[in-house]
Amino acid sequence: MRAFTYQRATSPAEAAAAAARTPGARFIAGGTNLLDLMKLEIETPGHLIDVNGLGLDKIEATPEGGLRVGALVRNTDLAADARVRRDYAVLSRALLAGASPQLRNVATTAGNLLQRTRCPYFYDTNQPCNKRQPGSGCSAIGGFSRTLAIVGSSNACIATHPSDMAVAMRLLDAEVETIRPNGATRVIPIADFHRLPGNTPHIDSMLEPGELITSVKLPRPLGGTHIYRKVRDRSSYAFALVSVAAVIQPDGSGRVALGGVAHKPWRVEAAEQNMAKGSKAVADQLLAGAKPTHDNAYKVPLVQRTLAAVMAQAKKG
């Protein structure tokens, strides 16, 4: 690990301003992803800004009837909150499907959204990777790609986003609230927050340099049956090969989002209009234009079967 300087921020505005004026600065809270990347010298920040003391660790009701989740709320606390378990059960279940209890105890809401891909070539600094070193190439294309993207990829990158929580947030139409280095605030719809790789796979989100996430806002509860089903190589501490987050109403209508298939949580609202036609019609539209590799072509039928199981489970109530 390379040497770095360190400061403790005393306000969100101070943290954002410090990050903007210090080249190579990064925010740190739980550090469950960043510290690993620093040890491997994939991330080499020259300055760390500790945001743990900013008081962004509350879950509060909003005037609109939803919840505002502070950026520093730990994954364990968010999953266990009685309001989340009652009204946003898909979010609680997605959180509990991620990582391990020890990691969930320290991982934060903002950090979960911002965690970087677990593509093996991203982690292997001996291999070219456009996400790690722009313009160097993508070793995963033509390489081992069993766990990687089948939709939304590009000729520059076929990595997937690893978060379970983000899939549920996308399903719920959450909004990401931030503060910029000049003190201005903004709201980014979760649908727009994560980027597809295109020709710039090293840019994961719509955040500007120095911009700090302060909270995530959940809209009014959707009701219905909430399901999060994660298919993985082992029953714990493994990333999704495919995951399905769903909220399905008694009349059969609903919402569906996928994890493990794209560079961002994957939701196609138009596909949800086909719920009455059955799971295959929904899956076909969700995966329209899919470009699987030889290694991960199995994900197409796996999405179809997992979605079918989810919709069957919802019918049983």
Side-chain angles (χ1 to χ4, degrees):
M1 187 183 292
R2 301 185 186 186
F4 56 87
T5 53
Y6 170 88
Q7 77 175 90
R8 291 179 178 172
T10 59
S11 72
E14 179 200 345
R21 68 172 177 262
T22 310
R26 290 291 304 273
F27 302 119
I28 188 167
T32 57
N33 189 202
L34 178 59
L35 289 177
D36 284 343
L37 296 174
M38 290 173 65
K39 291 173 184 177
L40 295 169
E41 296 196 352
I42 295 169
E43 296 270 5
T44 56
H47 185 64
L48 292 183
I49 302 168
D50 190 332
V51 296
N52 282 296
L54 302 186
L56 304 175
D57 57 354
K58 306 292 190 301
I59 304 173
E60 301 171 317
T62 66
E64 299 80 16
L67 291 177
R68 177 171 283 105
V69 181
L72 297 174
V73 172
R74 266 44 186 183
N75 289 176
T76 295
D77 295 332
L78 183 57
D81 186 270
R83 295 162 294 183
V84 174
R85 293 176 63 190
R86 181 187 67 231
D87 297 329
Y88 306 94
V90 66
L91 175 58
S92 181
R93 290 167 182 161
L95 284 160
L96 293 173
S100 66
Q102 294 89 344
L103 287 170
R104 293 194 296 268
N105 285 343
V106 293
T108 63
T109 299
N112 192 307
L113 289 177
L114 294 173
Q115 63 182 301
R116 307 208 68 189
T117 185
R118 265 53 177 200
C119 174
Y121 296 101
F122 175 72
Y123 273 80
D124 185 351
T125 56
N126 293 311
Q127 301 290 333
C129 172
N130 288 320
K131 182 173 276 295
R132 178 171 22 83
Q133 186 178 356
S136 64
C138 177
S139 298
I141 297 176
F144 180 72
S145 54
R146 176 176 174 269
T147 63
L148 301 180
I150 59 173
V151 286
S153 57
S154 73
N155 291 331
C157 182
I158 59 172
T160 54
H161 195 276
S163 172
D164 293 290
M165 184 196 79
V167 180
M169 292 286 197
R170 177 66 183 93
L171 183 80
L172 295 169
D173 281 333
E175 295 178 320
V176 181
E177 300 179 322
T178 72
I179 186 166
R180 289 166 159 165
N182 64 1
T185 61
R186 71 165 171 158
V187 177
I188 307 171
I190 193 73
D192 301 327
F193 183 77
H194 296 103
R195 294 165 52 106
L196 291 178
N199 294 320
T200 56
H202 60 291
I203 304 175
D204 291 330
S205 75
M206 296 302 293
L207 292 178
E208 299 172 355
E211 191 169 8
L212 175 70
I213 297 174
T214 55
S215 58
V216 176
K217 184 179 175 183
L218 300 175
R220 291 176 62 89
L222 294 172
T225 300
H226 290 222
I227 300 171
Y228 187 77
R229 181 167 293 206
K230 180 176 181 177
V231 182
R232 45 189 165 174
D233 285 327
R234 56 181 184 266
S235 60
S236 67
Y237 200 46
F239 295 98
L241 299 173
V242 162
S243 65
V244 174
V247 172
I248 301 177
Q249 304 299 333
D251 65 1
S253 64
R255 299 181 181 186
V256 175
L258 304 178
V261 299
H263 200 257
K264 61 187 289 185
W266 194 252
R267 183 180 171 205
V268 179
E269 281 88 340
E272 296 162 4
Q273 304 306 310
N274 291 327
M275 297 289 281
K277 298 179 182 178
S279 60
K280 188 176 186 306
V282 179
D284 286 349
Q285 195 160 357
L286 279 169
L287 300 181
K291 296 179 180 179
T293 68
H294 173 75
D295 289 340
N296 66 18
Y298 74 91
K299 287 194 177 188
V300 174
L302 185 58
V303 167
Q304 295 170 343
R305 293 167 185 166
T306 307
L307 180 57
V310 165
M311 292 177 67
Q313 180 182 344
K315 284 184 179 179
K316 294 178 181 177

